[in-house]
Amino acid sequence: MYNSFEKLPEEKRNLILRISIEEFVQNGYYKASTDTITSRAGISKGILFHYFKNKKGLFLYLTEHTRDMLEQKTRLEMEKLREDDYFERIKKMMIIKYRIAIDYPLETEFATKALLMPPVEASEEIAALNSKYMAKYREKSMQDFVYDKKLLEKLPLRMAPEKVIEVSAFILEQLGAKYFEKYKSQGENKNFEGFIEELDFLNNIIKYGVIEKNRPTQ
């Protein structure tokens, strides 16, 4: 469907992608201007629509492109994790995700908004893309790399391992979102020290909140 676009030289292809992502992130789907995109990219609107058919087609392509790119980069790093300690593993996972988010802030913001707040006319296609994505990675879920239930089963927990995973994932994902928003508002200040400090604090709250007192860990 996008063969003509994907046959372009890499430099030109990346230019169109970058400008398009910037336009949608800065102005939202409905106010994003294909005139602005084509003017900045040095192409005609006819050529843009030849590549993507229409504005909706461009948006859908960008949704799949950004999500695949971020997911691949994240998985490559997470597959290297070898820590046997669950809490150390989830800490390193959050550092990986935060670094990737601030290295690719526009792509991260675009992918997040597209999946959580898709435009009405593209909602069915976005839902289908999400289903396709989930099926693609079902056998290699994030839990296989990070949220490993086996690492928790040897600990004296107050609750089921599944509940610990649910709680820790929710709390730490909220932390990541908080610092990503801070990074967007502060520009180049990546604030790694503040992020790590709060990450350690919350990770310890989770750890000592779910492990029973007076029972040694193995």
Side-chain angles (χ1 to χ4, degrees):
M1 183 177 179
Y2 303 109
N3 289 341
S4 296
F5 176 71
E6 292 177 349
K7 288 179 181 178
L8 287 174
E10 183 178 3
E11 184 177 356
K12 186 66 173 180
R13 192 170 66 246
N14 288 340
L15 175 66
I16 295 170
L17 290 173
R18 178 178 59 79
I19 289 170
S20 299
I21 291 169
E22 287 177 357
E23 180 67 15
F24 280 112
V25 167
Q26 291 170 5
N27 298 297
Y29 178 81
Y30 295 105
K31 292 183 179 180
S33 169
T34 53
D35 288 332
T36 299
I37 292 170
T38 54
S39 175
R40 291 184 61 201
I43 60 174
S44 69
K45 185 179 287 189
I47 288 294
L48 183 71
F49 288 170
H50 171 67
Y51 295 148
F52 302 105
K53 189 176 180 180
N54 51 33
K55 182 178 179 179
K56 174 182 167 182
L58 172 60
F59 185 84
L60 291 172
Y61 183 90
L62 294 174
T63 300
E64 192 163 13
H65 165 75
T66 53
R67 185 159 185 176
D68 281 348
M69 184 270 284
L70 294 168
E71 178 65 20
Q72 288 168 11
K73 290 184 179 297
T74 302
R75 284 186 177 278
L76 283 174
E77 294 301 316
M78 289 193 179
E79 287 176 351
K80 299 174 185 177
L81 295 177
R82 294 293 182 268
E83 284 72 15
D84 292 330
D85 182 276
Y86 172 82
F87 299 98
E88 185 63 24
R89 184 175 291 196
I90 62 175
K91 173 185 174 179
K92 291 195 174 182
M93 176 271 293
M94 287 303 303
I95 293 172
I96 289 169
K97 293 185 72 173
Y98 182 59
R99 286 185 181 276
I100 290 174
I102 63 176
D103 284 344
Y104 302 93
L106 288 173
E107 292 85 352
T108 298
E109 187 169 0
F110 180 94
T112 301
K113 288 182 176 178
L115 292 166
L116 297 180
M117 299 176 289
V120 174
E121 56 262 50
S123 58
E124 290 186 9
E125 290 89 344
I126 296 292
L129 282 175
N130 198 42
S131 296
K132 173 185 172 183
Y133 170 90
M134 294 302 292
K136 180 179 178 182
Y137 293 109
R138 187 172 292 126
E139 293 184 0
K140 286 190 173 183
S141 66
M142 196 72 73
Q143 186 167 315
D144 293 330
F145 302 126
V146 183
Y147 297 113
D148 190 344
K149 186 171 69 173
K150 293 179 181 178
L151 298 179
L152 290 167
E153 289 175 343
K154 59 185 179 181
L155 298 176
L157 301 175
R158 298 174 184 268
M159 60 190 75
E162 294 83 359
K163 193 65 178 178
V164 176
I165 290 171
E166 180 184 341
V167 169
S168 54
F170 176 78
I171 292 174
L172 297 184
E173 291 297 333
Q174 292 299 310
L175 175 67
K178 169 186 171 180
Y179 273 85
F180 180 64
E181 289 300 317
K182 279 189 174 183
Y183 168 71
K184 288 195 301 178
S185 65
Q186 295 173 3
E188 294 301 315
N189 181 10
K190 298 182 179 181
N191 197 13
F192 275 120
E193 291 183 3
F195 175 72
I196 298 298
E197 182 178 348
E198 192 164 350
L199 175 59
D200 283 334
F201 175 73
L202 290 175
N203 208 14
N204 281 329
I205 287 179
I206 297 168
K207 180 176 181 178
Y208 296 109
V210 301
I211 294 177
E212 290 188 4
K213 294 181 179 179
N214 303 321
R215 285 184 59 188
T217 59
Q218 297 178 7

